[in-house]
Amino acid sequence: MTTELESVSDFRERARIWLRDNMPPATASSELKADSEEAWDRARQLQRILYDGGFAGICFPSEYGGLGLTPAHQKAFTKESVGYELPLILNVPTLAICAATLVDIGTDEQKRAHLPAVLKGEEVLVQFLSEPNGGSDLAGLTTRAERDGDRWLLNGSKIWSSGAYAADYGLCLARTNWDVPKHRGLTLFLVPVHAPGVTIQRIKQVTGSTEFCQEFFDDVSLPLEAVLGEVDAGWEAASRLLNHERAALGGTSPYISGATPHMGAEAVSLVELAKATGQWEDSRVREDIGEARAMNVVRDQLIAHVTRSIISGALPPSAGSITRLFSAENACLQTDMAVRIAGSIAATQAPGDPVDTEKVGLDYLFRAAWSLAGGSTEMARNVISERVLGMPREYAADRDVPFNQVKRGR
Protein backbone atom coordinates (compact mmCIF):
# COMPACT_ATOMS: atom_id res chain seq x y z
CA MET A 1 0.00 0.00 0.00
CA THR A 2 1.25 3.47 -0.86
CA THR A 3 2.97 5.23 2.06
CA GLU A 4 4.94 7.98 0.28
CA LEU A 5 3.36 11.02 -1.28
CA GLU A 6 3.70 10.40 -5.01
CA SER A 7 2.93 13.05 -7.60
CA VAL A 8 -0.65 13.39 -8.75
CA SER A 9 0.33 12.64 -12.35
CA ASP A 10 2.15 9.43 -11.40
CA PHE A 11 -0.73 8.38 -9.17
CA ARG A 12 -3.23 9.06 -11.93
CA GLU A 13 -1.28 6.98 -14.44
CA ARG A 14 -0.98 4.11 -11.98
CA ALA A 15 -4.72 4.34 -11.25
CA ARG A 16 -5.56 4.35 -14.97
CA ILE A 17 -3.66 1.10 -15.54
CA TRP A 18 -4.99 -0.57 -12.41
CA LEU A 19 -8.61 0.32 -13.13
CA ARG A 20 -8.29 -1.00 -16.67
CA ASP A 21 -6.88 -4.31 -15.44
CA ASN A 22 -8.99 -4.88 -12.31
CA MET A 23 -12.37 -3.14 -12.29
CA PRO A 24 -15.43 -4.22 -14.30
CA PRO A 25 -17.34 -1.78 -16.53
CA ALA A 26 -20.00 0.35 -14.87
CA THR A 27 -22.76 -1.65 -16.53
CA ALA A 28 -21.81 -4.79 -14.57
CA SER A 29 -24.21 -4.02 -11.68
CA SER A 30 -26.71 -1.86 -13.55
CA GLU A 31 -29.50 -4.41 -13.04
CA LEU A 32 -29.13 -4.48 -9.25
CA LYS A 33 -31.65 -2.44 -7.27
CA ALA A 34 -29.84 0.11 -5.11
CA ASP A 35 -31.75 -0.94 -1.99
CA SER A 36 -31.25 -4.70 -2.46
CA GLU A 37 -29.00 -6.94 -0.38
CA GLU A 38 -27.24 -7.96 -3.60
CA ALA A 39 -26.24 -4.35 -4.28
CA TRP A 40 -24.71 -3.97 -0.82
CA ASP A 41 -22.91 -7.33 -1.04
CA ARG A 42 -21.52 -6.25 -4.40
CA ALA A 43 -20.40 -2.90 -2.95
CA ARG A 44 -18.51 -4.65 -0.15
CA GLN A 45 -16.78 -6.90 -2.69
CA LEU A 46 -15.76 -3.94 -4.85
CA GLN A 47 -14.49 -2.04 -1.82
CA ARG A 48 -12.27 -5.00 -0.93
CA ILE A 49 -10.88 -5.03 -4.47
CA LEU A 50 -10.04 -1.34 -4.13
CA TYR A 51 -8.38 -1.96 -0.76
CA ASP A 52 -6.30 -4.91 -2.00
CA GLY A 53 -5.27 -2.86 -5.02
CA GLY A 54 -4.14 0.08 -2.90
CA PHE A 55 -6.86 2.53 -3.96
CA ALA A 56 -9.22 2.60 -0.96
CA GLY A 57 -9.36 5.52 1.43
CA ILE A 58 -7.16 7.77 -0.68
CA CYS A 59 -7.48 10.72 1.74
CA PHE A 60 -7.79 8.67 4.92
CA PRO A 61 -4.76 8.51 7.26
CA SER A 62 -2.28 5.79 6.33
CA GLU A 63 -1.97 4.58 9.93
CA TYR A 64 -5.63 3.49 9.77
CA GLY A 65 -5.57 1.75 6.41
CA GLY A 66 -5.84 4.71 4.04
CA LEU A 67 -3.29 6.18 1.67
CA GLY A 68 -2.79 9.54 3.37
CA LEU A 69 -2.86 11.39 0.06
CA THR A 70 -4.44 14.71 -0.95
CA PRO A 71 -7.83 15.72 -2.38
CA ALA A 72 -6.03 16.27 -5.70
CA HIS A 73 -5.09 12.58 -5.74
CA GLN A 74 -8.68 11.61 -4.97
CA LYS A 75 -9.96 13.88 -7.72
CA ALA A 76 -7.54 12.33 -10.21
CA PHE A 77 -8.68 8.81 -9.28
CA THR A 78 -12.35 9.80 -9.55
CA LYS A 79 -11.81 11.17 -13.05
CA GLU A 80 -10.04 8.01 -14.15
CA SER A 81 -12.76 5.81 -12.62
CA VAL A 82 -15.51 7.09 -14.93
CA GLY A 83 -16.92 4.11 -16.80
CA TYR A 84 -15.91 1.56 -14.17
CA GLU A 85 -18.04 -0.12 -11.53
CA LEU A 86 -17.28 1.23 -8.06
CA PRO A 87 -18.97 0.87 -4.63
CA LEU A 88 -20.67 4.25 -4.86
CA ILE A 89 -23.35 3.44 -2.27
CA LEU A 90 -20.60 3.27 0.37
CA ASN A 91 -19.67 6.92 -0.22
CA VAL A 92 -22.64 8.35 1.68
CA PRO A 93 -22.93 8.00 4.57
CA THR A 94 -20.26 5.40 5.35
CA LEU A 95 -17.06 6.92 3.94
CA ALA A 96 -17.70 10.64 3.50
CA ILE A 97 -19.70 11.21 6.70
CA CYS A 98 -19.38 8.53 9.37
CA ALA A 99 -15.81 7.35 8.76
CA ALA A 100 -14.68 10.95 8.27
CA THR A 101 -16.19 11.81 11.66
CA LEU A 102 -14.32 8.89 13.21
CA VAL A 103 -11.10 10.34 11.81
CA ASP A 104 -11.88 13.65 13.51
CA ILE A 105 -13.05 12.61 16.97
CA GLY A 106 -12.52 8.87 17.44
CA THR A 107 -10.00 7.49 19.90
CA ASP A 108 -6.98 5.68 18.50
CA GLU A 109 -8.59 2.39 19.54
CA GLN A 110 -11.84 3.27 17.77
CA LYS A 111 -10.04 4.29 14.61
CA ARG A 112 -7.94 1.12 14.53
CA ALA A 113 -11.01 -1.04 15.20
CA HIS A 114 -13.28 0.47 12.56
CA LEU A 115 -11.51 2.48 9.84
CA PRO A 116 -9.53 -0.43 8.32
CA ALA A 117 -12.71 -2.54 8.42
CA VAL A 118 -14.64 0.20 6.61
CA LEU A 119 -11.95 0.59 3.95
CA LYS A 120 -11.89 -3.19 3.41
CA GLY A 121 -15.67 -3.27 2.93
CA GLU A 122 -16.14 -5.28 6.12
CA GLU A 123 -18.15 -2.61 7.94
CA VAL A 124 -20.90 -0.26 6.79
CA LEU A 125 -21.61 2.80 8.94
CA VAL A 126 -24.80 4.89 9.00
CA GLN A 127 -26.26 7.86 10.88
CA PHE A 128 -28.88 7.67 13.62
CA LEU A 129 -29.77 11.36 13.96
CA SER A 130 -33.30 12.40 12.97
CA GLU A 131 -36.27 11.50 15.17
CA PRO A 132 -39.99 11.06 14.39
CA ASN A 133 -40.94 14.14 16.45
CA GLY A 134 -37.78 16.15 15.91
CA GLY A 135 -38.18 17.92 12.59
CA SER A 136 -35.14 20.10 11.90
CA ASP A 137 -34.46 20.67 15.61
CA LEU A 138 -31.79 18.01 15.97
CA ALA A 139 -30.69 19.28 19.39
CA GLY A 140 -34.24 18.79 20.67
CA LEU A 141 -33.99 15.00 20.40
CA THR A 142 -35.39 12.73 23.14
CA THR A 143 -33.68 9.39 22.47
CA ARG A 144 -31.82 8.87 25.74
CA ALA A 145 -28.77 7.03 27.03
CA GLU A 146 -28.48 6.46 30.78
CA ARG A 147 -25.34 5.41 32.62
CA ASP A 148 -25.77 2.05 34.36
CA GLY A 149 -22.50 1.10 36.06
CA ASP A 150 -19.97 0.15 33.39
CA ARG A 151 -22.43 0.49 30.52
CA TRP A 152 -24.98 2.81 28.88
CA LEU A 153 -28.60 1.87 28.24
CA LEU A 154 -30.03 3.35 25.04
CA ASN A 155 -33.78 3.88 24.54
CA GLY A 156 -35.77 5.76 21.91
CA SER A 157 -36.23 5.90 18.15
CA LYS A 158 -34.53 7.34 15.06
CA ILE A 159 -35.84 7.73 11.51
CA TRP A 160 -34.85 8.46 7.90
CA SER A 161 -31.62 6.50 8.31
CA SER A 162 -30.32 5.68 4.82
CA GLY A 163 -29.15 2.09 4.41
CA ALA A 164 -29.51 1.13 8.09
CA TYR A 165 -30.80 -2.33 7.14
CA ALA A 166 -27.45 -3.10 5.48
CA ALA A 167 -25.22 -1.50 8.14
CA ASP A 168 -23.03 -2.81 10.92
CA TYR A 169 -22.77 0.31 13.11
CA GLY A 170 -24.70 3.55 13.49
CA LEU A 171 -23.48 6.89 14.84
CA CYS A 172 -26.30 7.70 17.26
CA LEU A 173 -26.86 11.04 18.97
CA ALA A 174 -28.65 10.62 22.31
CA ARG A 175 -29.51 12.73 25.35
CA THR A 176 -27.39 11.98 28.41
CA ASN A 177 -28.19 15.03 30.55
CA TRP A 178 -31.67 16.56 30.92
CA ASP A 179 -30.68 19.21 33.47
CA VAL A 180 -28.79 21.46 31.05
CA PRO A 181 -29.83 23.33 27.85
CA LYS A 182 -30.50 21.04 24.93
CA HIS A 183 -27.20 21.50 23.10
CA ARG A 184 -25.11 20.70 26.20
CA GLY A 185 -26.60 17.37 27.21
CA LEU A 186 -26.00 15.22 24.14
CA THR A 187 -23.53 12.40 23.49
CA LEU A 188 -22.61 10.62 20.25
CA PHE A 189 -22.41 6.80 20.43
CA LEU A 190 -21.19 4.08 18.10
CA VAL A 191 -24.04 1.57 18.17
CA PRO A 192 -23.86 -2.02 16.78
CA VAL A 193 -26.87 -2.28 14.47
CA HIS A 194 -27.43 -5.96 15.30
CA ALA A 195 -27.17 -5.58 19.08
CA PRO A 196 -29.99 -7.00 21.24
CA GLY A 197 -32.73 -4.40 21.62
CA VAL A 198 -32.23 -2.78 18.19
CA THR A 199 -35.18 -3.14 15.79
CA ILE A 200 -35.02 -1.82 12.22
CA GLN A 201 -38.06 -1.20 10.02
CA ARG A 202 -37.73 -0.20 6.37
CA ILE A 203 -39.88 2.66 5.03
CA LYS A 204 -41.41 2.40 1.55
CA GLN A 205 -41.26 5.67 -0.36
CA VAL A 206 -43.48 6.95 -3.15
CA THR A 207 -40.84 5.79 -5.65
CA GLY A 208 -41.07 2.23 -4.33
CA SER A 209 -37.60 2.37 -2.76
CA THR A 210 -37.08 1.08 0.79
CA GLU A 211 -33.73 2.80 1.35
CA PHE A 212 -34.83 4.72 4.47
CA CYS A 213 -35.37 3.08 7.84
CA GLN A 214 -36.72 3.71 11.32
CA GLU A 215 -34.89 2.27 14.33
CA PHE A 216 -36.18 1.43 17.78
CA PHE A 217 -33.87 1.07 20.79
CA ASP A 218 -35.10 -0.86 23.82
CA ASP A 219 -32.54 -1.03 26.66
CA VAL A 220 -29.68 -1.44 24.19
CA SER A 221 -26.55 -2.10 26.27
CA LEU A 222 -23.47 -0.17 25.14
CA PRO A 223 -19.96 -0.33 26.65
CA LEU A 224 -18.39 2.89 27.95
CA GLU A 225 -15.98 2.90 25.01
CA ALA A 226 -18.95 3.27 22.62
CA VAL A 227 -18.87 7.03 23.26
CA LEU A 228 -17.53 9.05 20.31
CA GLY A 229 -15.92 12.25 21.56
CA GLU A 230 -16.81 13.33 25.08
CA VAL A 231 -19.85 12.63 27.24
CA ASP A 232 -22.32 15.57 27.06
CA ALA A 233 -20.26 17.09 24.22
CA GLY A 234 -22.29 15.40 21.51
CA TRP A 235 -23.35 18.63 19.86
CA GLU A 236 -19.73 19.45 19.02
CA ALA A 237 -19.32 15.90 17.67
CA ALA A 238 -22.56 16.14 15.69
CA SER A 239 -21.50 19.51 14.27
CA ARG A 240 -18.39 17.89 12.81
CA LEU A 241 -20.52 15.09 11.39
CA LEU A 242 -22.95 17.60 9.86
CA ASN A 243 -20.07 19.51 8.26
CA HIS A 244 -19.00 16.27 6.60
CA GLU A 245 -22.60 15.58 5.55
CA ARG A 246 -22.96 18.98 3.89
CA ALA A 247 -19.61 18.55 2.17
CA ALA A 248 -20.64 15.12 0.89
CA LEU A 249 -23.97 16.30 -0.49
CA GLY A 250 -22.52 19.55 -1.81
CA GLY A 251 -19.64 17.86 -3.64
CA THR A 252 -16.69 19.20 -1.60
CA SER A 253 -15.86 16.06 0.44
CA PRO A 254 -12.36 14.61 -0.15
CA TYR A 255 -13.59 11.20 1.05
CA ILE A 256 -15.99 10.44 -1.81
CA SER A 257 -14.43 8.09 -4.36
CA GLY A 258 -15.78 7.50 -7.84
CA ALA A 259 -17.84 9.64 -10.17
CA THR A 260 -21.36 10.09 -8.90
CA PRO A 261 -23.98 12.71 -9.85
CA HIS A 262 -24.38 15.65 -7.47
CA MET A 263 -27.71 15.03 -5.76
CA GLY A 264 -29.22 13.41 -8.86
CA ALA A 265 -28.64 16.42 -11.07
CA GLU A 266 -27.19 14.47 -13.98
CA ALA A 267 -29.18 11.26 -13.73
CA VAL A 268 -30.73 11.85 -17.15
CA SER A 269 -29.06 13.40 -20.21
CA LEU A 270 -31.35 16.21 -21.34
CA VAL A 271 -29.77 16.24 -24.80
CA GLU A 272 -30.44 12.53 -25.32
CA LEU A 273 -33.96 12.98 -23.96
CA ALA A 274 -34.69 15.85 -26.36
CA LYS A 275 -33.38 13.91 -29.37
CA ALA A 276 -35.28 10.74 -28.45
CA THR A 277 -38.54 12.64 -28.12
CA GLY A 278 -38.06 14.57 -31.37
CA GLN A 279 -37.65 17.97 -29.73
CA TRP A 280 -34.01 18.71 -30.40
CA GLU A 281 -34.84 21.38 -32.98
CA ASP A 282 -37.31 23.14 -30.68
CA SER A 283 -35.72 26.46 -29.65
CA ARG A 284 -37.49 26.47 -26.28
CA VAL A 285 -36.17 23.01 -25.45
CA ARG A 286 -32.67 23.97 -26.49
CA GLU A 287 -32.86 27.06 -24.24
CA ASP A 288 -33.95 24.86 -21.33
CA ILE A 289 -31.04 22.51 -21.95
CA GLY A 290 -28.65 25.47 -22.14
CA GLU A 291 -29.91 26.83 -18.82
CA ALA A 292 -29.53 23.42 -17.18
CA ARG A 293 -26.02 23.02 -18.58
CA ALA A 294 -25.03 26.50 -17.38
CA MET A 295 -26.23 25.65 -13.88
CA ASN A 296 -24.09 22.51 -13.86
CA VAL A 297 -21.04 24.51 -14.94
CA VAL A 298 -21.69 27.06 -12.18
CA ARG A 299 -22.12 24.22 -9.68
CA ASP A 300 -18.79 22.65 -10.62
CA GLN A 301 -16.99 26.00 -10.41
CA LEU A 302 -18.64 26.76 -7.06
CA ILE A 303 -17.60 23.38 -5.65
CA ALA A 304 -14.01 23.95 -6.78
CA HIS A 305 -13.92 27.46 -5.29
CA VAL A 306 -15.47 26.51 -1.95
CA THR A 307 -13.27 23.43 -1.65
CA ARG A 308 -10.09 25.45 -2.20
CA SER A 309 -11.28 28.11 0.24
CA ILE A 310 -12.05 25.60 3.00
CA ILE A 311 -8.69 23.86 2.53
CA SER A 312 -6.82 27.18 2.64
CA GLY A 313 -8.77 28.42 5.66
CA ALA A 314 -10.31 31.34 3.78
CA LEU A 315 -13.75 29.87 4.54
CA PRO A 316 -14.86 27.79 7.56
CA PRO A 317 -15.90 24.14 7.11
CA SER A 318 -19.53 25.25 7.50
CA ALA A 319 -19.19 26.88 4.07
CA GLY A 320 -19.99 23.43 2.71
CA SER A 321 -23.60 24.53 3.23
CA ILE A 322 -23.16 26.87 0.25
CA THR A 323 -22.57 24.03 -2.19
CA ARG A 324 -25.09 21.82 -0.42
CA LEU A 325 -27.78 24.52 -0.93
CA PHE A 326 -26.84 25.21 -4.54
CA SER A 327 -26.69 21.50 -5.40
CA ALA A 328 -30.18 20.97 -3.97
CA GLU A 329 -31.63 23.89 -5.93
CA ASN A 330 -29.87 22.70 -9.08
CA ALA A 331 -31.09 19.12 -8.63
CA CYS A 332 -34.68 20.37 -8.59
CA LEU A 333 -34.08 22.49 -11.71
CA GLN A 334 -32.51 19.57 -13.60
CA THR A 335 -35.38 17.27 -12.66
CA ASP A 336 -38.01 19.84 -13.61
CA MET A 337 -36.32 20.37 -16.98
CA ALA A 338 -36.31 16.63 -17.65
CA VAL A 339 -40.04 16.33 -16.96
CA ARG A 340 -40.73 19.45 -19.05
CA ILE A 341 -38.96 17.86 -22.02
CA ALA A 342 -40.33 14.33 -21.50
CA GLY A 343 -43.89 15.52 -21.07
CA SER A 344 -46.55 12.90 -20.40
CA ILE A 345 -44.26 9.96 -21.11
CA ALA A 346 -42.46 10.74 -17.84
CA ALA A 347 -45.50 9.16 -16.20
CA THR A 348 -46.46 6.59 -18.84
CA GLN A 349 -43.25 4.68 -19.59
CA ALA A 350 -44.01 1.48 -21.48
CA PRO A 351 -41.99 -1.17 -23.33
CA GLY A 352 -41.14 0.00 -26.82
CA ASP A 353 -41.18 3.73 -26.01
CA PRO A 354 -38.40 5.65 -27.82
CA VAL A 355 -36.56 6.47 -24.60
CA ASP A 356 -36.46 5.05 -21.07
CA THR A 357 -38.19 7.81 -19.12
CA GLU A 358 -38.94 5.81 -15.99
CA LYS A 359 -35.94 7.45 -14.31
CA VAL A 360 -37.31 10.89 -15.20
CA GLY A 361 -40.60 10.21 -13.45
CA LEU A 362 -39.01 8.62 -10.39
CA ASP A 363 -36.53 11.47 -10.02
CA TYR A 364 -39.40 13.95 -10.11
CA LEU A 365 -41.25 12.07 -7.38
CA PHE A 366 -38.08 12.14 -5.29
CA ARG A 367 -37.16 15.77 -5.99
CA ALA A 368 -38.40 17.11 -2.64
CA ALA A 369 -35.85 14.90 -0.86
CA TRP A 370 -32.99 17.02 -2.20
CA SER A 371 -34.24 19.97 -0.16
CA LEU A 372 -34.17 17.81 2.98
CA ALA A 373 -31.14 15.54 2.65
CA GLY A 374 -28.27 16.67 4.83
CA GLY A 375 -30.55 19.07 6.69
CA SER A 376 -33.21 21.21 5.05
CA THR A 377 -32.30 24.02 2.67
CA GLU A 378 -33.77 26.43 5.23
CA MET A 379 -31.25 25.16 7.78
CA ALA A 380 -28.49 25.52 5.19
CA ARG A 381 -29.44 29.17 4.73
CA ASN A 382 -29.27 29.68 8.51
CA VAL A 383 -25.82 28.08 8.65
CA ILE A 384 -24.57 30.29 5.82
CA SER A 385 -25.96 33.47 7.38
CA GLU A 386 -24.78 32.79 10.93
CA ARG A 387 -21.55 30.80 10.55
CA VAL A 388 -20.21 32.05 7.21
CA LEU A 389 -21.53 35.62 7.00
CA GLY A 390 -21.52 36.29 10.75
CA MET A 391 -25.11 37.49 10.94
CA PRO A 392 -27.01 37.42 14.28
CA ARG A 393 -28.38 34.06 15.43
CA GLU A 394 -32.03 33.31 14.91
CA TYR A 395 -34.15 33.73 18.04
CA ALA A 396 -34.93 30.54 19.99
CA ALA A 397 -37.24 30.53 23.01
CA ASP A 398 -35.55 27.47 24.56
CA ARG A 399 -31.98 28.76 24.40
CA ASP A 400 -30.20 28.44 27.78
CA VAL A 401 -33.24 26.72 29.30
CA PRO A 402 -32.62 23.30 30.97
CA PHE A 403 -34.10 20.71 28.63
CA ASN A 404 -36.29 19.16 31.32
CA GLN A 405 -38.01 22.57 31.63
CA VAL A 406 -38.63 23.06 27.91
CA LYS A 407 -42.30 22.81 27.00
CA ARG A 408 -42.96 20.16 24.36
CA GLY A 409 -46.14 19.22 22.54
CA ARG A 410 -47.71 15.83 22.94
Side-chain angles (χ1 to χ4, degrees), residues 20 25 52 119 181 221 227 249 292 313 315 330 338 345 375 389 392-393:
R20 181 195 64 200
D52 291 341
L119 297 180
S221 179
V227 172
L249 296 179
L315 285 174
N330 184 44
I345 63 172
L389 301 177
R393 287 179 59 89

Side-chain angles (χ1 to χ4, degrees), residues 28 33 35 90 92 94 124 129 157 173 186 200 218 298 309-310 367 382 406 410:
K33 291 182 60 179
D35 59 353
L90 297 182
V92 178
T94 295
V124 171
L129 299 181
S157 179
L173 193 61
L186 305 174
I200 296 179
D218 298 293
V298 172
S309 298
I310 292 175
R367 70 188 292 280
N382 276 359
V406 173
R410 295 184 180 275

Side-chain angles (χ1 to χ4, degrees), residues 111-133:
K111 293 175 185 178
R112 293 190 184 281
H114 297 286
L115 289 178
V118 165
L119 297 180
K120 292 176 184 177
E122 296 171 355
E123 286 186 6
V124 171
L125 309 179
V126 295
Q127 303 163 260
F128 293 156
L129 299 181
S130 299
E131 297 194 358
N133 296 322

Side-chain angles (χ1 to χ4, degrees), residues 176-388:
T176 47
N177 190 339
W178 297 72
D179 299 321
V180 296
K182 61 183 182 181
H183 291 86
R184 302 179 200 163
L186 305 174
T187 303
L188 190 63
F189 293 89
L190 192 60
V191 179
V193 169
H194 303 293
V198 179
T199 302
I200 296 179
Q201 294 183 355
R202 298 175 73 167
I203 301 170
K204 190 170 185 178
Q205 303 166 61
V206 68
T207 60
S209 170
T210 55
E211 171 197 7
F212 292 130
C213 302
Q214 181 172 4
E215 300 78 40
F216 300 89
F217 310 109
D218 298 293
D219 284 334
V220 179
S221 179
L222 301 173
L224 300 184
E225 56 269 23
V227 172
L228 269 176
E230 301 293 332
V231 174
D232 291 344
W235 187 251
E236 290 77 6
S239 294
R240 285 181 175 264
L241 183 150
L242 292 172
N243 280 338
H244 285 300
E245 183 179 52
R246 293 165 187 138
L249 296 179
T252 61
S253 172
Y255 300 108
I256 284 181
S257 189
T260 181
H262 297 291
M263 306 187 76
E266 293 162 351
V268 176
S269 168
L270 300 184
V271 172
E272 293 177 4
L273 185 61
K275 290 180 177 178
T277 55
Q279 301 180 80
W280 179 240
E281 300 302 327
D282 188 315
S283 59
R284 179 191 62 81
V285 170
R286 292 167 75 97
E287 287 176 1
D288 286 346
I289 293 173
E291 179 181 350
R293 173 57 183 159
M295 288 290 283
N296 280 341
V297 172
V298 172
R299 177 207 62 203
D300 293 344
Q301 292 296 319
L302 180 65
I303 289 172
H305 172 71
V306 172
T307 300
R308 288 194 302 268
S309 298
I310 292 175
I311 291 173
S312 69
L315 285 174
S318 52
S321 290
I322 298 172
T323 55
R324 178 264 176 275
L325 175 60
F326 188 90
S327 293
E329 298 288 338
N330 184 44
C332 289
L333 181 142
Q334 302 289 331
T335 304
D336 290 350
M337 290 297 192
V339 170
R340 188 169 169 176
I341 294 171
S344 61
I345 63 172
T348 59
Q349 172 68 29
D353 283 351
V355 62
D356 183 4
T357 56
E358 181 181 21
K359 181 68 174 168
V360 176
L362 291 177
D363 281 350
Y364 186 80
L365 289 176
F366 197 69
R367 70 188 292 280
W370 300 127
S371 66
L372 300 172
S376 68
T377 51
E378 291 84 357
M379 294 298 293
R381 288 183 169 90
N382 276 359
V383 170
I384 294 167
S385 66
E386 296 172 8
R387 303 180 195 175
V388 180

Side-chain angles (χ1 to χ4, degrees), residues 13 47 54 70 114 149 154-155 165 250 342 397 404:
E13 180 61 26
Q47 185 65 31
T70 71
H114 297 286
L154 180 68
N155 286 276
Y165 61 92
N404 55 13

